[in-house]
Structures are given as structure tokens and as C-alpha cells.
């Protein structure tokens, strides 16, 4: 059939003119020009149907396009077709006997039916009862070896489709098929470009979200940031909701809207009509299951199906909800809350890509909120600890002073040797307890950033010698040689003398504790142009490599070490408060060396 039409499509036939009407060639040129200007498949369908109706004087026309592997063709444009008939013919099955239009697409062959009787004989299933008599032409649109769709023309009278008209429609169908293929390619490229731009926007949005969420560790500010960010980029309304038990004093619902004046309307609606905790969908269901929900469209019938009273339904409709998503706020395998994103503009419809982006936002926001919650808990624990330390230091200092002074009086009173031993034990214990209280207070100040150092120019060699003078009796008692090399550190160095004495006392005292009898502990101080360097070296047993990274941790102690385990941690905090640094080198069996620096400028 197609080869025959091609063989007989001679120019004279197309150039033949009907009196009072343009030639077929002129009509074809006009329609081809209109099709060349059409950009989308919808534009092509509109231009083809409406111009072809005028060219052949048909009363009705329509174009269907095949939908891939779905086995159907969908109506793209129609003219002159009654509304009820348009709805009935919206989707046609691709079956040979279903009707002339379906048959033309299945066989990829034109169907010309000159009368109602011919239509009934060849296609008994076809229904065309609207007009007493009719004729119908169904022409397939073929390109690249496959049928893209079909053009149907209906005449409200009997008609003989002569050879010239058939050739005209066949040529027109080829031109239209090429225009459709070109439009489809354009739409594919545009969709790919839109998808790439959308992916870029989503990635940029998530990048901005990460930066914003990382900017605060405040629980309520994090909630508000999520809502503000959503309405700035992907939604018209946004609710961020938490269970009451997780809110930690923050409001369980945060509301934002692109129009701030309408945010209060949404908040009032949410307060007055809260969702039922066991609701089968929406935020309560997402909170229970941890599974997202996507509503590309929210027709009025869906709102009616929720079973809410008339007042609640009126409030629902006032929100102008067109599309919505509800995603979980999740972290560490827990659902902490939900984010509801609502589009109220008719040109915004959420799809799977939007849902994937919202789910990623929920994960990032969940981690940020979990971090904020943990930080808040840590801050409360630190405040509680500081309160306890303040009470302990205040309430224990006076009794300790009394105990220390009483033991000192006993020692000066010439008591019996046995009583003196007890008094000395009491005095040592009181001194140890006083030192522990001071260490705890120092550590609390360091961690809270409240530790204040007051640097003044001090000769470093004198500071070292003063520290060693206080520790010499302990070294003598333990049979350890304690020495210093400070010849290169006589110039003043800016430092808080009392705090550096405390650092040296902690480091040297630690070395004396671990160095065996007959061993050596040496303190060396030197000056470089930018900094002063001090090192404390001992020939004790050394520290195992696995424990080196924990030496400056709070409360860390080796197996044989006595004390609170705070000395080295406090020494690190004091050095860093001066702007310096501290480190350790050690090998098992070869002793340890602790070094710290102090900036000179």
C-alpha cells in the first residue's frame, strides 16, 4: 500500500486545483511551514489537526500518539470533538479490531471508510452514533520504521476518498511524522537538560543545607534552619515535627512559609487540627514506620476521604495544597521527627527525584539535630559537673584547712612518736585532697574555656630552678638524680609563672613517680627565635605505643600509676592556653621525654 502511494504521488495530482480552493500543493506547503514552526509534540498535533481540517473540510479531527510499550495510544489534540466523546477516546487500545484508528496504527496502514455502513461492516466494535451519516479517514504517522501515532478525520456525510486526497493525506502524514520525531528529540533533549539542571539545583540545595545545618549546635535553631531552608528552595509550606519526648524544651512543630504572613495561618491550623497519632498516613505514619510518603497531586477527593469535619476540611483547602511529601528525620537508625513539604503552586508537582532529595535532607537534618541534642545533653552534664565542683570546693576547703592546721599543731606540740605518725598521715592526706580539688577546678576551667593566663616576661631558667627546688626532697627520698640544663634559657619569656610552675611540677612529678631508684630525671630549657622549648627526660620503663595517644586524656593512668590521672591533661591545657604545644616520645625500656613550647611573641 505505502509503495503504491509513493509510486503514484506525481506532482500533477498534487498540483491539481479545485475551483475556488487552493491547490493541494499550496495546502501542503502551508501545513509543512506550520509544522516546521512547531516545537513540541503538542504544537505539532495542534497545527496538523486544525490546518488539515481546513484543508479537507472535515468536521472533526484528532491525533493520537503511541505510548511506548504500554500497548495504547493517547489523544494529544482534538478539534470539533464533543467533550464526552473526547473523554471516551482519550486512550485507545492497540488492537486490530478495536476500531479504524487503532487498526491503522497496528497495521501501519491507512483506513478510508466512506459511509456509516462501511464502518459498521469492517469495524463492528466502533461506536459512531452521534451523526446520521459519516465518513472517516485514519492515517498512520510513520517515521524511522515505526508507527508514532495516527491522524483521524471525520466528515458528517458520505464521502468518496479519491486518489488525489489519499496521496495528499499520505504525504502529509509523512511530513507530520518527521515533525513529531523532531519534536520528540527536542523534548528528550529539553527533558535531559531540565533533569541535569534539576540535579544541579538539588545538589546545590543539599550543599547549602549541609553548611546551614552545620552552622549551629542549638536545638531550636537547627529546627528553624530546616524549615527556612526548605521554603527557600523546594516548598511553599514546611512543617518540621518532633515527638514531645524528643523536643527537649523546643516546640514540637516548627512552621515556615514563603509568605511569612501566612506562616501563622499554617501554625494556627496545625494547633487547632492536629493529626491523630494513629493516622494511617501523614506525619504520624511516617514517624511510626520511618517510610516516606509522596503525593504528586492532592485532589479535593483525597481530602474528603480523610473523614474530617467540615471546619477542618475548609482549613485544609485554605492551605491550597497541590502536592506534598513527608519524609523522616533520621539518625543512627532512629526516626527523630518528620519534615512535611507542601507545594501550593499549580506549576510545582513533586516526583521521585524530589522525594529522594527530601529524604537526603531528612538524613542530614536528622544528623544535625541529633548532634545538637547530644551537644545540649553534654552541656547540661558539664554544667551539672561544674555546679557539683563549685559546691565541693566551697564546702570542703574550710574543713580541709581545719584538718591541715590541726595536724600541723599536733606535729609542733611534741606529741609521742606514734601520734606524730598519725598526724603526718592526716596532713599528707589533707594536702592530697586539696591538690585534687584544685586539679578538678583547673580542668573544669580549661574545658569550659574560662582558664585565664597572665603572661609576663619571666626568665625561664629561674622558673625551672624554682620548680626543681620544690621537687628535690621527693627526688632525694626516692634516690633519683634530678638535674637541669638551663644555660640557654636566661632571657625572659612571656608566661604565667605560677601556671608554668604547675606544668613543670606535673611533668617532673610524673617522671619521678615512674623512674626507679638510681635513675635520672633531667629538665632542659632552650630558646629559639620564635619559641622557648622545655623537655623533661627520664630513664624509666617507658610507655607502650598503644598508650601514647591517650597519655594526655583525662583520668588516664598506666597500670602502676597512682594519682588522679589529671596532671598531664591539665599540663596540656595550660601549655595550650599560652599558645604552645606539648608532646611525648617514649620507647619501652628506654624512658620517656615530654616536651612543650611557649611562644616568645
Amino acid at each position: 500500500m505505502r509503495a503504491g502511494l509513493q509510486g503514484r504521488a506525481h506532482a500533477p495530482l498534487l498540483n491539481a486545483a479545485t475551483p475556488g480552493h487552493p491547490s493541494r500543493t499550496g495546502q501542503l506547503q502551508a501545513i509543512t511551514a506550520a509544522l516546521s514552526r512547531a516545537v513540541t509534540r503538542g504544537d505539532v498535533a495542534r497545527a496538523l489537526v486544525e490546518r488539515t481540517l481546513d484543508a479537507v473540510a472535515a468536521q472533526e479531527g484528532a491525533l493520537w500518539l503511541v505510548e511506548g510499550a504500554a500497548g495504547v495510544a493517547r489523544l494529544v489534540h482534538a478539534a470539533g470533538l464533543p467533550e464526552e466523546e473526547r473523554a471516551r477516546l482519550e486512550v485507545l487500545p492497540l488492537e486490530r479490531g478495536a476500531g479504524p484508528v487503532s487498526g491503522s496504527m497496528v497495521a501501519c496502514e491507512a483506513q478510508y471508510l466512506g459511509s456509516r455502513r462501511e464502518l459498521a461492516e469492517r469495524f463492528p466494535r466502533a461506536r459512531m452514533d452521534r451523526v446520521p451519516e459519516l465518513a472517516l479517514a485514519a492515517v498512520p504517522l510513520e517515521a524511522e520504521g515505526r508507527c508514532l501515532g495516527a491522524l483521524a478525520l471525520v466528515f458528517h456525510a458520505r464521502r468518496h476518498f479519491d486518489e488525489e486526497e489519499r496521496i495528499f493525506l499520505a504525504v502529509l502524514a509523512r511530513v507530520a511524522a518527521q515533525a513529531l520525531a523532531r519534536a520528540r528529540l527536542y523534548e528528550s533533549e529539553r527533558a535531559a537538560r531540565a533533569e541535569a539542571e534539576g540535579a544541579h539545583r538539588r545538589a546545590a540545595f543539599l550543599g547549602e543545607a549541609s553548611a546551614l545545618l552545620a552552622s549551629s549546635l542549638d536545638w531550636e535553631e537547627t529546627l528553624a534552619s530546616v524549615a527556612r531552608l526548605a521554603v527557600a528552595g523546594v516548598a511553599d509550606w514546611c512543617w518540621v515535627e518532633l515527638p514531645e519526648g524528643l523536643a527537649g524544651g523546643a516546640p514540637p512543630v516548627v512552621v515556615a512559609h514563603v509568605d511569612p504572613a501566612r506562616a501563622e495561618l499554617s501554625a494556627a491550623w496545625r494547633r487547632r487540627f492536629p493529626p491523630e497519632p494513629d493516622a494511617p498516613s501523614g506525619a504520624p505514619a511516617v514517624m511510626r514506620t520511618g517510610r516516606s510518603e509522596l503525593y504528586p497531586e492532592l485532589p479535593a477527593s483525597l481530602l474528603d476521604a480523610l473523614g474530617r469535619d467540615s471546619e477542618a476540611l475548609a482549613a485544609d483547602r485554605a492551605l491550597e495544597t497541590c502536592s506534598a511529601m513527608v519524609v523522616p528525620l533520621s539518625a543512627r537508625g532512629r526516626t527523630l521527627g518528620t519534615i512535611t513539604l507542601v507545594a501550593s503552586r499549580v506549576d510545582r508537582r513533586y516526583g521521585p527525584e524530589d522525594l529522594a532529595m527530601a529524604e537526603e535532607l531528612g538524613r542530614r537534618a536528622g544528623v544535625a539535630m541529633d548532634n545538637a541534642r547530644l551537644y545540649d545533653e553534654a552541656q547540661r552534664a558539664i554544667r551539672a559537673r561544674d555546679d557539683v565542683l563549685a559546691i565541693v570546693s566551697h564546702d570542703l576547703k574550710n574543713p580541709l584547712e581545719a584538718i591541715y592546721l590541726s595536724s600541723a599543731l599536733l606535729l609542733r606540740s611534741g606529741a609521742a612518736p606514734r601520734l606524730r605518725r598519725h598526724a603526718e598521715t592526716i596532713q599528707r592526706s589533707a594536702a592530697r585532697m586539696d591538690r585534687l580539688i584544685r586539679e578538678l577546678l583547673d580542668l573544669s576551667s580549661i574545658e569550659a574555656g574560662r582558664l585565664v593566663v597572665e603572661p609576663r616576661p619571666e626568665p625561664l631558667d629561674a622558673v625551672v630552678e624554682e620548680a626543681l627546688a620544690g621537687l628535690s626532697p621527693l627526688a632525694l627520698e626516692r634516690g633519683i638524680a634530678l638535674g637541669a640544663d638551663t644555660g640557654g634559657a636566661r632571657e625572659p619569656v612571656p608566661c604565667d609563672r605560677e601556671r608554668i610552675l604547675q606544668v613543670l611540677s606535673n611533668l617532673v612529678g610524673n617522671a619521678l613517680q615512674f623512674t626507679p631508684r638510681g635513675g635520672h630525671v633531667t629538665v632542659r630549657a632552650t630558646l629559639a627565635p620564635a619559641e622557648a622549648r622545655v623537655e623533661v627526660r627520664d630513664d624509666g620503663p617507658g610507655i607502650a605505643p598503644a598508650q601514647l595517644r591517650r597519655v594526655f586524656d583525662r583520668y588516664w593512668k598506666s597500670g602502676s600509676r597512682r594519682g588522679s590521672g589529671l596532671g598531664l591533661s591539665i599540663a596540656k591545657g595550660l601549655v595550650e592556653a599560652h599558645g604552645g604545644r606539648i608532646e611525648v616520645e617514649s620507647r619501652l625500656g628506654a624512658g620517656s621525654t615530654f616536651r612543650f613550647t611557649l611562644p616568645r611573641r
Side-chain angles (χ1 to χ4, degrees):
M1 178 70 176
R2 292 192 297 272
L5 285 175
Q6 290 173 354
R8 290 175 289 180
H10 298 300
L13 285 174
L14 289 179
N15 285 328
T18 305
H21 291 84
S23 69
R24 291 297 190 196
T25 300
Q27 291 174 330
L28 185 60
Q29 289 173 342
I31 297 173
T32 300
L35 292 176
S36 69
R37 293 190 296 270
V39 176
T40 67
R41 285 180 290 183
D43 296 339
V44 171
R46 187 179 303 107
L48 176 65
V49 171
E50 294 179 2
R51 287 181 175 268
T52 305
L53 281 183
D54 292 341
V56 299
Q59 282 71 51
E60 301 172 19
L63 186 139
W64 288 261
L65 291 181
V66 174
E67 287 195 345
V72 298
R74 188 172 296 275
L75 182 66
V76 179
H77 186 74
L81 206 62
E83 194 62 38
E84 62 275 9
E85 192 71 2
R86 184 193 299 261
R88 185 176 70 83
L89 299 174
E90 181 72 26
V91 178
L92 297 180
L94 293 181
E95 300 171 0
R96 190 176 293 273
V101 180
S102 297
S104 71
M105 288 185 281
V106 172
C108 209
E109 185 174 324
Q111 304 289 333
Y112 294 101
L113 307 168
S115 65
R116 175 183 296 284
R117 180 177 177 180
E118 188 176 357
L119 173 65
E121 288 175 351
R122 293 179 55 186
F123 297 96
R125 292 165 56 186
R127 291 166 47 199
M128 292 288 287
D129 302 327
R130 292 179 290 101
V131 292
E133 188 56 87
L134 59 82
L136 183 146
V139 185
L141 307 178
E142 183 184 7
E144 300 173 359
R146 63 191 188 93
C147 182
L148 305 181
L151 170 67
L153 302 167
V154 177
F155 304 84
H156 291 179
R158 297 170 64 92
R159 185 182 186 89
H160 172 66
F161 295 98
D162 59 27
E163 181 130 358
E164 178 186 338
E165 191 164 42
R166 295 187 184 207
I167 292 173
F168 171 75
L169 291 176
V171 174
L172 184 60
R174 290 195 201 93
V175 173
Q178 291 169 359
L180 284 170
R182 184 181 66 249
R184 183 182 62 186
L185 180 61
Y186 167 78
E187 290 175 353
S188 298
E189 291 176 350
R190 187 175 65 175
R193 185 166 56 251
E195 174 58 29
E197 291 172 354
H200 176 73
R201 283 195 303 272
R202 289 190 289 271
F205 172 78
L206 289 174
E208 183 183 355
S210 295
L212 182 60
L213 292 171
S215 65
S216 174
L217 282 172
D218 179 81
W219 180 274
E220 295 186 40
E221 179 59 28
T222 301
L223 284 176
S225 294
V226 173
R228 287 196 304 267
L229 183 70
V231 298
V234 297
D236 299 308
W237 299 91
C238 176
W239 294 274
V240 182
E241 307 183 49
L242 302 178
E244 295 283 355
L246 279 177
V253 180
V254 175
V255 181
H257 189 276
V258 287
D259 178 5
R262 301 200 69 190
E264 182 52 36
L265 170 65
S266 177
W269 169 86
R270 179 62 175 72
R271 287 192 298 269
R272 184 162 184 182
F273 305 107
E276 294 295 330
D278 57 350
S281 61
V286 173
M287 178 66 73
R288 289 195 310 271
T289 64
R291 292 193 295 271
S292 303
E293 294 182 359
L294 171 64
Y295 300 96
E297 295 187 14
L298 285 168
S301 58
L302 181 60
L303 295 177
D304 294 339
L306 295 177
R308 293 157 71 86
D309 59 40
S310 58
E311 188 179 8
L313 282 173
D316 290 340
R317 294 190 180 104
L319 293 177
E320 301 176 352
T321 302
C322 297
S323 185
M325 300 181 289
V326 188
V327 298
L329 285 165
S330 56
R332 297 189 296 166
R334 299 174 59 209
T335 299
L336 304 178
T338 61
I339 305 176
T340 301
L341 303 170
V342 177
S344 57
R345 303 201 314 260
V346 294
D347 62 339
R348 174 179 273 171
R349 290 290 185 273
Y350 294 131
E353 296 84 1
D354 300 302
L355 182 65
M357 179 200 62
E359 289 174 333
E360 181 61 24
L361 173 64
R363 283 188 288 271
R364 298 187 187 193
V367 170
M369 290 171 57
D370 195 44
N371 289 342
R373 181 179 62 84
L374 293 173
Y375 176 77
D376 184 57
E377 291 177 359
Q379 290 300 107
R380 288 202 299 270
I382 289 171
R383 286 193 295 271
R385 183 203 62 190
D386 290 348
D387 291 343
V388 170
L389 285 175
I391 293 170
V392 167
S393 64
H394 179 271
D395 291 352
L396 288 185
K397 269 201 173 291
N398 288 338
L400 276 176
E401 286 281 341
I403 293 170
Y404 192 86
L405 288 173
S406 297
S407 62
L409 287 173
L410 279 174
L411 288 173
R412 288 200 296 268
S413 67
R418 183 177 178 186
L419 188 58
R420 286 183 62 83
R421 286 197 302 273
H422 290 317
E424 289 170 353
T425 301
I426 292 170
Q427 194 172 56
R428 284 194 301 270
S429 297
R432 193 157 48 244
M433 186 174 290
D434 183 63
R435 186 168 58 253
L436 176 59
I437 291 172
R438 284 189 282 106
E439 286 180 345
L440 287 171
L441 291 173
D442 282 345
L443 186 64
S444 177
S445 298
I446 290 169
E447 290 183 342
R450 297 193 302 265
L451 182 71
V452 178
V453 294
E454 299 177 355
R456 293 185 179 87
E458 299 282 356
L460 191 56
D461 60 340
V463 176
V464 171
E465 288 167 7
E466 183 178 346
L468 296 191
L471 292 166
S472 293
L474 178 60
L476 186 61
E477 178 188 337
R478 296 192 174 182
I480 299 171
L482 179 61
D485 177 7
T486 59
R490 292 191 171 90
E491 293 180 21
V493 173
C495 67
D496 187 320
R497 185 182 187 94
E498 293 303 317
R499 291 302 190 180
I500 296 305
L501 284 172
Q502 188 177 353
V503 171
L504 286 166
S505 178
N506 285 347
L507 295 180
V508 177
N510 189 69
L512 291 173
Q513 181 178 330
F514 283 96
T515 302
R517 183 173 292 275
H520 299 79
V521 173
T522 303
V523 180
R524 184 169 181 264
T526 58
L527 298 179
E531 63 186 14
R533 299 168 184 163
V534 181
E535 69 176 37
V536 178
R537 184 187 301 272
D538 66 61
D539 50 12
I543 304 170
Q547 294 182 323
L548 272 178
R549 60 185 179 85
R550 301 178 52 210
V551 162
F552 296 106
D553 291 351
R554 289 173 298 164
Y555 308 111
W556 177 83
K557 294 191 291 185
S558 68
S560 61
R561 183 177 172 186
R562 298 183 298 277
S564 63
L566 297 176
L568 292 179
S569 181
I570 291 171
K572 181 175 184 289
L574 294 174
V575 168
E576 290 176 349
H578 281 80
R581 61 187 185 278
I582 189 169
E583 61 188 20
V584 59
E585 285 183 12
S586 185
R587 286 189 303 157
L588 284 176
S592 304
T593 300
F594 285 82
R595 297 186 183 90
F596 68 89
T597 64
L598 297 171
R600 299 188 66 184
R601 299 186 181 90

